[in-house]
Amino acid sequence: MKKISDRIFYVGVNDTDKVQFEGLWPLPYGVSYNSYLVVDEKVALIDTVECGFEEEFISNIEEAIADRHIDYLVVNHMEPDHSSLIEYVMQRYPGLMIVANARTVPMLKGYHGTPEEKIMVMAEGKRLSLGSCSLSFHMIPMVHWPETMVTWLDEEGTVFSGDAFGTFGAVQGDVVDDEDTFAQYRDEMIRYYSNIVGKYGNPVQSALKKLSGLDVKRICSTHGPVWEHNVDSVVSLYDRLSRYEVEKGVCIVYGSMYGNTAAAADALAMELEAAGVPYCIHDLAGNNSGELGISGALRDVFKYDTIVVGSPTYNNGIFPPVETFMKALQARLIKGRRFYAFGSYTWAGASVRQLNEMASSMGFVLLGEGMSFAQAYSREKCDMAALAEILK
Ligand code: FEO
């Protein structure tokens, strides 16, 4: 438990055991499931945490309010990392009412069998008095599910923002940020955004527009630190990411079966290094342990303006992990990128052509027809110095 202000208490937990978030995304630094209490004449709990943390969660709550009762459980978002313990909390605090919006009601019934008489349905902007302060509720659909809303505590300039402004990475130390915290979490925040929310740029823009009318002094999201000292930086990063804005640089993403496409990728990386071009390189085939794979590649697609993709020809098509990456770009509606493809084949090349077709379908600018080479990689077959010049 951590006291954030006279009224607000952090009662969330860190998960450093889970290997993959949503069963997909690596968690090398863990993740936090944040939950908050607003304590006034009435007590409101905002979101719960993932199942498996029942004891720690209740212990945090009791440390904050001792034997006081919880009057309201505000459900900002129904994804199970935040809603898993709804029934558990309702059993512990039987008089409690669920506070949610209309789109949440069928999900509450479907996931938890919550009876309608236990749900207070809140319309957009509706206020709920807790005594000396009040909460209001604002829909931000598709950030990250259609039912998602934020809760605004005007008296504290605090937005309980759900997944918005969240980040991977367990919460270290003090929970509330300091001047250095944003720099420490920036990469994991971009990875979180690109992996989880990246498809929803337009809804995030709509949400930011809605929040721009509020004087936000504190952001309490469901993942990562409480933001007080970096509110502008955090909002501005989300603004930039949701507009698909990038800086100059090259994101090399490849998969390789026997090392030839990998050798070409490495050779290109060396030429970019020599030319002073910012770049990153991601192996999707899992040959390098410790790599983030597609998760890290998506993060860097949201950083750099140029994507270079390498795939050998496999079953007369794209190597499956690389095809999955390309589909992940399509799913996230990535736009405004420069693109180049390369890859080896043995008897008939198909991957580069198909990669170009997928890139064209996303409106990417092709920087050439690509580099499809037969059998082994060699400097003679692949002029990576010339390609680095094109990519500058
Ligand atoms: Fe952290 Fe969309 O749940």
Side-chain angles (χ1 to χ4, degrees):
M1 190 279 288
K2 163 78 184 170
K3 187 171 181 178
I4 306 291
S5 73
D6 285 345
R7 296 186 180 97
I8 302 172
F9 296 82
Y10 175 89
V11 290
V13 299
N14 277 330
D15 188 345
T16 51
D17 292 329
K18 190 183 285 267
V19 177
Q20 288 175 316
F21 191 76
E22 292 184 344
L24 281 174
W25 314 108
L27 291 171
Y29 314 108
V31 68
S32 70
Y33 313 117
N34 298 346
S35 169
Y36 305 89
L37 280 168
V38 181
V39 180
D40 201 349
E41 290 164 33
K42 301 276 188 185
V43 175
L45 176 66
I46 301 185
D47 294 313
T48 70
V49 301
E50 174 70 286
C51 58
F53 294 90
E54 287 83 349
E55 274 186 33
E56 185 179 346
F57 186 45
I58 290 298
S59 160
N60 286 345
I61 290 172
E62 288 177 347
E63 195 182 340
I65 58 171
D67 56 1
R68 279 193 69 181
H69 195 78
I70 296 175
D71 299 282
Y72 305 113
L73 168 54
V74 176
V75 178
N76 277 336
H77 180 26
M78 274 300 293
E79 193 164 9
D81 51 335
H82 311 296
S83 69
S84 287
L85 296 193
I86 286 177
E87 285 168 81
Y88 179 77
V89 170
M90 288 178 79
Q91 281 163 14
R92 294 286 299 223
Y93 298 94
L96 163 159
M97 289 294 289
I98 300 272
V99 176
N101 63 71
R103 297 192 83 164
T104 306
V105 174
M107 296 186 189
L108 280 165
K109 286 185 191 163
Y111 272 113
H112 304 294
T114 313
E116 264 186 44
E117 60 269 23
K118 294 296 292 179
I119 306 172
M120 292 169 62
V121 178
M122 291 290 160
E124 169 75 33
K126 184 99 189 280
R127 282 187 178 276
L128 175 68
S129 174
L130 299 181
S132 70
C133 67
S134 62
L135 304 174
S136 63
F137 309 97
H138 307 270
M139 297 297 297
I140 54 163
M142 302 319 298
V143 191
H144 152 226
W145 281 8
E147 89 301 358
T148 314
M149 67 180 191
V150 298
T151 297
W152 173 244
L153 175 52
D154 193 43
E155 289 78 0
E156 301 250 357
T158 297
V159 61
F160 299 94
S161 62
D163 283 344
F165 312 116
T167 174
F168 290 138
V171 174
Q172 307 293 339
D174 209 23
V175 177
V176 179
D177 66 337
D178 61 29
E179 282 72 15
D180 300 327
T181 310
F182 178 66
Q184 288 160 9
Y185 279 86
R186 187 174 183 276
D187 263 13
E188 282 295 86
M189 185 175 260
I190 297 172
R191 191 166 70 88
Y192 173 84
Y193 178 89
S194 66
N195 291 188
I196 309 299
V197 198
K199 180 180 172 63
Y200 305 114
N202 287 337
V204 171
Q205 278 291 306
S206 303
L208 288 172
K209 215 163 276 168
K210 195 174 267 191
L211 292 178
S212 69
L214 305 172
D215 182 16
V216 178
K217 296 186 173 68
R218 180 188 294 122
I219 297 173
C220 294
S221 93
T222 44
H223 301 289
V226 168
W227 299 107
E228 285 184 1
H229 297 89
N230 297 273
V231 168
D232 289 348
S233 301
V234 166
V235 171
S236 143
L237 179 63
Y238 258 65
D239 181 37
R240 193 174 69 75
L241 293 170
S242 56
R243 284 189 282 107
Y244 297 91
E245 237 183 63
V246 277
E247 54 203 70
K248 270 201 85 59
V250 178
C251 181
I252 307 169
V253 182
Y254 72 94
S256 190
M257 286 184 282
Y258 295 105
N260 289 298
T261 299
D266 288 341
L268 174 60
M270 288 174 69
E271 294 295 345
L272 291 171
E273 179 83 37
V277 178
Y279 76 96
C280 59
I281 181 164
H282 294 281
D283 171 8
L284 299 182
N287 293 316
N288 297 323
S289 64
E291 287 220 353
L292 291 168
I294 193 170
S295 175
L298 289 172
R299 175 195 66 200
D300 291 338
V301 161
F302 274 81
K303 279 188 190 170
Y304 290 141
D305 68 343
T306 304
I307 307 169
V308 178
V309 176
S311 167
T313 292
Y314 186 92
N315 284 343
N316 203 33
I318 302 169
F319 189 40
V322 180
E323 189 170 27
T324 300
F325 167 71
M326 294 298 289
K327 286 181 177 167
L329 298 186
Q330 287 176 326
R332 283 159 182 76
L333 312 174
I334 304 289
K335 52 196 167 203
R337 298 295 190 271
R338 307 192 309 161
F339 186 86
Y340 193 89
F342 66 96
S344 68
Y345 65 91
T346 299
W347 67 95
S351 61
V352 166
R353 176 178 48 79
Q354 291 182 23
L355 285 168
N356 283 340
E357 285 168 4
M358 290 183 84
S360 295
S361 76
M362 289 182 264
F364 294 174
V365 176
L366 301 188
L367 295 175
E369 65 182 18
M371 195 181 284
S372 182
F373 59 95
Q375 295 97 34
Y377 161 80
S378 72
R379 291 171 64 96
E380 290 70 34
K381 290 178 192 172
C382 303
D383 187 348
M384 290 305 184
L387 178 54
E389 279 301 310
I390 293 170
L391 298 177
K392 265 186 178 174

